[in-house]
Amino acid sequence: MKKWIPIGIAIAAVAAWKSGLLPVHSPQQERGLASIRVPDGFEVALASKPGLVKYPMLGTIASDGAIYMCESSGKTMKTPEMTADPNYVVTRLTDTDGDGVYDKSTVFAEKLTLPAGA
């Protein structure tokens, strides 16, 4: 059985690639944070130390500077499964040493079915 890519998606992908929105990486090109391009006046920087959140979905920055991050369990579940065993969390990230990088995470709320807003 042949698989076809809808022509509209193919045209959009080619247009995005030609415009530079979908860069093609070669071994010589930059990777990681250095590969992200932003307009003049903006910069890309590390926001938190690795490992503070496992499955981030969305978050918000509080007035005190803490980030409240809604986290998935990493499992794909339907509503009955989530209701029977709610294991999603909201994690609070803080910058304890004032260097601008979040370095501490604590569970703010747990046993949630699906944190869908922050």
Side-chain angles (χ1 to χ4, degrees):
M1 170 182 258
K2 291 183 180 179
K3 294 184 179 180
W4 297 93
I5 297 175
I7 192 70
I9 293 173
I11 291 170
V14 170
W17 172 70
K18 285 189 172 188
S19 70
L21 293 175
L22 294 175
V24 177
H25 292 285
S26 69
Q28 299 82 16
Q29 288 182 317
E30 297 172 326
R31 298 206 179 260
L33 291 178
S35 69
I36 301 172
R37 303 288 176 240
V38 295
D40 289 339
F42 291 86
E43 70 176 62
V44 177
L46 184 66
S48 73
K49 293 192 175 181
L52 294 183
V53 292
K54 293 179 184 174
Y55 300 102
M57 295 187 307
L58 55 103
T60 190
I61 301 175
S63 60
D64 66 355
I67 292 180
Y68 289 86
M69 182 64 63
C70 299
E71 286 192 71
S72 164
S73 65
K75 300 175 185 174
T76 302
M77 296 185 289
K78 296 185 186 251
T79 301
E81 295 168 301
M82 280 190 277
T83 304
D85 183 23
N87 57 10
Y88 289 50
V89 299
V90 175
T91 303
R92 183 175 191 264
L93 303 176
T94 53
D95 173 13
T96 62
D97 58 11
D99 67 354
V101 177
Y102 293 92
D103 53 22
K104 180 181 178 187
S105 68
T106 54
V107 174
F108 177 76
E110 61 186 342
K111 298 184 180 182
L112 303 172
T113 54
L114 182 63

